[in-house]
Structure formats: C-alpha cells, structure tokens
DNA sequence: TGAAAGAGCGAATATCATTCGGAGCAAACG
DNA sequence: CGTTTGCTCCGAATGATATTCGCTCTTTCA
C-alpha cells in the first residue's frame, strides 16, 4: 500500500530525490546531535506535529539520508585511550584490498583510499602503544605495504559524526 | 534519592569505576551498532531481562561510557560528498588555538592535535571542491599557519564510531 | 553467622511510537 | 476556470515500549 504511485515507478533513488527542505534539515540537525528525542519534543522544536515528524524521519531513513542511529562510545572509558591516524604506502596496487580485512578489528574505525602522497588512510583506536605496535606489525605483514606513517593524537578538540548544515559562504570565490 | 551512598561520597569518576563486565561489553557492542533497539530485544540478545538492561544502560550513560546516541547522517545524501583530511603545520605554537573556531563550521568534523611531522589534523566534509578551497583559504587566514596538506578521500571502505571490543592479540609481542 | 548492599526478575504503570481518517493545499488536467 | 489528484499535515485512538516498584537471591563484610 505504500508504493501506490504507479506512474512508471521511476524508482527515485536516494540521491536525486527531493532536495531536503528546511524541516528536513532541522530534523537531521537535531537527530545528529541527539537521537532518542521523542517525536513530540522534536516536533515542537521545529514546528511540526509528532506524526508529521515521524513520517519525515521514516522517509529520511528510507532514503538513506540517515544511515543508522548508534550509541557513541567513549574511547578511553571503554579501554581504548590511544587514537591514531596511519598513512599506508603500498607498492603498486597490491595490499590495497588486503587492507579491508582490518575491518574485522574493533580497533580500526576508518579505512579510506586517498589522493595525495599516500595511498590508504586508517583511523585506529587502541588500548595501548603496544597494541598500536602490534597493529602496525600486522600492517607490514601484508604484501605490498611499503611504509607507514603514524600520527598519534595528543588531544581531540572536536570529534563528531557528519552534520546536517552546509556553509554557503565557503563556496564564495574568496573574501580577501 | 539517587545518590544515597553517603560513604564518603568518594565520587567514583567514570574511568576508575568497575571495569566493564561481559554484559556491559555486549550491551555496548550492540548499541554502538544499533541504538534504538528495544530493551526487551536487547535483553534476550545478551541474556538479561529488560529492567536489568535498562539499569545497566542508564549506568553506562551516567559513567560517560556512552557519550551520546546520535543519528549517523550520510555525507553525500545530505549534500556533502567530498571528504578530506587536512594536515596543518603552524609556525611556533600560534594558530593552534585559533583553529578551534573552525568547530563552528558544520563541514569540520574532527580537530586533533597530533604527534608526528605535522601539528594539527582536521577531518572535513564539504559540498564541493570549491568549498574545500574556501575552507583552506580560511585556514591560511589564521596567523601562524605555515602549510597544509590535504588528503582527499577517493573511497571510504570503513567508517564507524568507536567499537566496544578490544583485540587482545595485538598486545602480544609479535607473532613472527 | 548475620546484616547490608547490589543486582536480577515479573508485574504494573506511564510514556511514547505508530496508525488511521479527514482536511487543507498545490500542481496537473480537462 | 473548475476539477481532480497527490501530498502532507493534524488530532485522536491504539498498541508497544520505557520505566518504576516490590521482591528474591547472592555476595560481602563485620
């Protein structure tokens, strides 16, 4: 009963759908900060009724704009006080795919391939410097891994998930 | 009526409290993956009753082990398809504190000070390469910013919040 | 050995999510 | 220019779930 539109069923995919109106942005902004708000509360923060908000949230979910709602754990308080970024240089293209196996480790939070003077970039959080050393050792076990550079985080001033807002002033040519 | 323990009120701070038993780890593991589970469901996944789980979650929250529960937004689907890491080199110590003002920008997701061949490390997500350029321009406006190196993410293979688990095998000396 | 604190459970209650029917509104259509 | 269609909102009703309460069991410490 949901997909009642039989006008061709063009399958409007997440990206090319409606471009997010002001209400949606406000909803995303609030939920990115604090999911677990009641729909009623969320409703009168942005000026809508509870069912309306519920409908929109359900849509945002289905469209993939909200990927998940998760509990954000504290690294130190859960036994992993050491945060680090690791740049991995590989010779040729080998080793790139083998790196994905590291997704299994709970210490590894991010794996990106990047453009720049390095190939892959990892974000890891581990229990101790010994654990970090062990992780690096495993990295060098991979074929094709030529070098790594580690950036150990001394202090995190800001750490959050993607935000809803967009600064339009950044698109301006230049203010100087 | 909550803080009824008047035995010195030693203020057991988040870190030095009880060291997380197996139930707590399982709870954190599930919630880091999917908050918004019902306590009943969460309960029989880990083998506890709903009120017991509720009690524990409340405690984990209060202890700061769960920092927040948030909706994870999709970058591209919310208008910011370009992810990048920026290394910032500053001359002297200046510019380090001024960088914190960038927390205001919704494009900036992380700001760390790191040990290594650079000073500060930013994770940013923006709408376009023009927006990234504008952001870099603002960085160079800061006094003391000497150089930046940007690593534009081509593909993200893994991106998640801190996980509950700890690999004990990493602490071993070396398997080779 | 006994008292006290802590943590679990089942049942009861309060809160909230979710559904339903109807109304307002805009764009497409005759 | 009027009508139709589709969309999204709202208020009320329903069902599910969070939260509380009283009790029991186990452990700890005197």
């Amino acid at each position: 009963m949901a997909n009642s539109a039989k006008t061709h069923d063009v399958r409007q995919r997440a990206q090319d759908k409606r471009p997010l109106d002001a209400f949606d942005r406000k909803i995303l902004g609030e939920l990115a900060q604090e999911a677990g708000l009641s729909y009623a509360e969320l409703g009168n923060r942005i000026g809508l009724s509870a069912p309306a908000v519920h409908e929109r949230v359900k849509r945002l979910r289905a469209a993939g704009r909200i990927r998940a709602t998760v509990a954000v754990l504290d690294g130190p308080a859960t036994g992993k006080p050491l945060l680090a970024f690791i740049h991995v240089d590989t010779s040729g293209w080998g080793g790139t795919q083998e790196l994905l196996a590291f997704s299994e480790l709970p210490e590894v939070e991010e794996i990106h391939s990047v453009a720049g003077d390095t190939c892959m970039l990892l974000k890891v959080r581990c229990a101790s410097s010994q654990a970090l050393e062990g992780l690096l050792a495993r990295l060098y076990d991979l074929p094709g891994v030529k070098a790594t550079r580690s950036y150990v985080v001394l202090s995190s001033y800001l750490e959050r998930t993607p935000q809803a807002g967009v600064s339009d002033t950044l698109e301006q040519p230049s203010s100087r």
Side-chain angles (χ1 to χ4, degrees), chain A residues 124-138:
Chain A
V124 305
R125 191 185 306 269
C126 41
S128 63
S129 50
Q130 282 78 19
L132 177 57
E133 187 180 8
L135 205 147
L136 287 172
R138 288 208 187 184

Side-chain angles (χ1 to χ4, degrees), chain A residues 27-83:
Chain A
I27 291 175
L28 291 176
E30 295 290 336
L31 290 184
Q33 216 66 32
E34 176 186 6
L37 279 178
S38 82
Y39 285 119
E41 172 62 21
L42 184 50
N44 55 26
R45 281 198 195 180
I46 71 172
L48 278 180
S49 73
V53 175
H54 179 260
E55 175 71 22
R56 279 173 177 267
V57 170
K58 198 166 52 175
R59 208 176 306 162
L60 290 169
R61 248 179 239 292
R65 298 218 160 86
I66 297 177
R67 291 214 298 196
T69 143
V70 305
V72 179
L73 308 187
D74 184 86
T78 53
K80 291 186 285 188
L82 184 58
L83 177 63

Side-chain angles (χ1 to χ4, degrees), chain A residues 93-173:
Chain A
W93 194 245
T96 296
Q97 299 309 314
E98 286 84 348
L99 261 177
L100 301 192
F102 279 73
S103 302
E104 302 303 321
L105 296 179
E107 279 80 7
V108 179
E109 293 178 8
E110 303 186 18
I111 303 179
H112 310 277
S113 83
V114 298
D117 58 17
T118 195
C119 300
M120 301 291 286
L121 203 154
L122 271 64
K123 180 182 182 183
V124 305
R125 191 185 306 269
C126 41
S128 63
S129 50
Q130 282 78 19
L132 177 57
E133 187 180 8
L135 205 147
L136 287 172
R138 288 208 187 184
L139 274 177
Y140 279 110
D141 280 345
L142 292 185
V145 168
K146 191 166 47 178
T148 67
R149 278 179 301 288
S150 297
Y151 299 90
V152 173
V153 171
L154 303 174
S155 184
S156 290
Y157 296 101
L158 179 70
E159 192 171 13
R160 60 187 178 189
T161 52
Q163 301 292 295
V166 172
S167 304
D168 44 355
T169 68
L170 290 180
E171 303 256 357
Q172 312 298 339

Side-chain angles (χ1 to χ4, degrees), chain A residues 3 5-18 62-63:
Chain A
N3 193 3
K6 39 183 61 69
T7 59
H8 274 190
D9 187 15
V10 187
R11 184 108 66 88
Q12 317 155 301
R13 297 181 63 83
Q15 315 305 342
D16 51 6
K17 274 194 79 171
R18 253 160 318 185

